[in-house]
Amino acid sequence: MEKQIKYSPYRLCTAVFALCLTVRAIEYFLLQTDRTAVGENFIHKVFGIILLAVVLKSTGLGWVGIGFKGRGAAAGILKGLLLGSVCFAAAYGLELAVFALKGAPAHLELYVSGFSLTGPLAGSTGLIPLALCLLFNIINVWMEEGVFRGLFIRVLLEAGGFMRANLIASALFGVWHVVMPIRSCVYGEMTLPQAALMSAGYILLAGIMGVKWGLLYRMTGSLWAGLGDHLLNNTVATNMLHVVSQSGADELQIVRVFAAQLVSFLIVLALYRRKNRNSCLTQNNI
């Protein structure tokens, strides 16, 4: 029988986060894989998955133990995709309506592009770019959901309640995203005030998304619903389906994403509270 490593929940999460963030910073600032022909920073995500596998093996938690359960995977992913589709359909509709009211009608276009804080990137069409975009985003959401929701919440539950664990994991998820505006500031693509404002916005937005996916994890007992919603957000709303007007593409992308995520967060929060209320009523009637 293999000997499992005893660990401190906070130290383990801190160590994993620090290692992943360090490799992420190296890729963003030095390798800059997203500015090569690959068009995506994926190396630190692959590193995160490998590190996660090592941690799960050494602690004995296992993939199933953090929420990657085989049973119900397809149904869970479909539920997440449905949630994201409904909310983003409303957000896209709102965005198109804003352009129409301004007297500058816009339309939707399907093509693959990278994500940039400083303006739209060149896009491409065809099956290969679409397949690569999907592959990179699967790697992305597998790593982020596995680490921030699966590992962090599962481990931090041992040191406190769920809401505390979810808030800590979500705060780390917010900090995880400030590497992008910091790089834009360092390379002169943003001013310091702009980068500071963007960083604060990212922490807020990613934090809300993290809390929502944590609630889905808690309600369903697996990562699949959150992973499906996360995948749709990154693949369709960020990289594939664009709003194009005479003045450019995706001028209101951040607004679109924030609106969709806020609506879906409120829906998931309402479902979570309803489930908890029904659970309490059931226990009281026993």
Side-chain angles (χ1 to χ4, degrees):
M1 180 179 294
E2 296 183 9
K3 184 178 180 180
Q4 297 178 5
I5 296 177
K6 295 182 179 180
Y7 57 86
S8 162
Y10 291 111
R11 288 181 180 177
L12 177 61
C13 292
T14 300
V16 170
F17 181 72
L19 283 171
C20 289
L21 187 62
T22 298
V23 178
R24 179 174 172 87
I26 290 172
E27 184 168 21
Y28 266 88
F29 285 92
L30 300 179
L31 302 179
Q32 299 190 52
T33 320
D34 61 328
R35 298 185 178 184
T36 66
V38 176
E40 181 70 29
N41 284 318
F42 72 95
I43 295 176
H44 70 283
K45 302 294 176 60
V46 174
F47 171 82
I49 293 173
I50 295 173
L51 178 61
L52 178 61
V54 172
V55 171
L56 295 179
K57 179 70 173 178
S58 61
T59 58
L61 291 173
W63 293 99
V64 173
I66 65 167
F68 286 109
K69 300 178 180 179
R71 185 176 182 180
I77 292 173
L78 286 174
K79 288 177 181 177
L81 291 173
L82 177 61
L83 172 66
S85 297
V86 169
C87 294
F88 270 106
Y92 274 106
L94 177 62
E95 188 174 357
L96 293 173
V98 169
F99 278 104
L101 290 173
K102 290 168 58 179
H107 62 279
L108 299 177
E109 287 189 14
L110 183 65
Y111 60 86
V112 177
S113 73
F115 178 69
S116 172
L117 297 176
T118 56
L121 299 176
S124 56
T125 58
L127 290 179
I128 293 179
L130 287 170
L132 287 175
C133 179
L134 182 59
L135 173 62
F136 286 138
N137 276 300
I138 289 174
I139 293 172
N140 177 34
V141 300
W142 190 279
M143 179 268 172
E144 291 186 343
E145 291 306 305
V147 170
F148 288 94
R149 254 65 64 188
L151 179 65
F152 287 177
I153 292 180
R154 168 66 178 78
V155 167
L156 291 171
L157 275 171
E158 300 176 14
F162 165 71
M163 290 307 298
R164 181 179 181 180
N166 194 20
L167 289 174
I168 293 174
S170 300
L172 292 175
F173 190 58
V175 174
W176 173 253
H177 285 82
V178 302
V179 173
M180 288 185 286
I182 291 175
R183 183 181 72 169
S184 295
C185 180
V186 169
Y187 285 99
E189 299 163 349
M190 281 185 180
T191 65
L192 181 58
Q194 288 174 331
L197 181 61
M198 185 66 72
S199 295
Y202 249 120
I203 291 174
L204 176 62
L205 176 58
I208 290 174
M209 294 160 72
V211 171
K212 178 188 68 173
W213 292 326
L215 293 176
L216 285 173
Y217 178 37
R218 183 70 166 180
M219 283 192 293
T220 63
S222 75
L223 294 170
W224 299 121
L227 189 146
D229 184 51
H230 194 164
L231 183 63
L232 188 132
N233 174 83
N234 288 20
T235 304
V236 177
T238 302
N239 294 128
M240 288 188 179
L241 188 59
H242 306 271
V243 175
V244 180
S245 66
Q246 292 181 347
S247 56
D250 295 322
E251 297 167 273
L252 299 178
Q253 184 183 65
I254 294 296
V255 177
R256 174 206 314 157
V257 172
F258 187 84
Q261 290 300 335
L262 182 59
V263 171
S264 62
F265 168 76
L266 293 175
I267 292 173
V268 171
L269 181 61
L271 292 174
Y272 178 77
R273 288 181 172 176
R274 179 181 178 183
K275 183 174 182 178
N276 278 357
R277 183 168 59 250
N278 291 341
S279 178
C280 290
L281 289 174
T282 300
Q283 292 177 0
N284 291 333
N285 290 332
I286 293 177

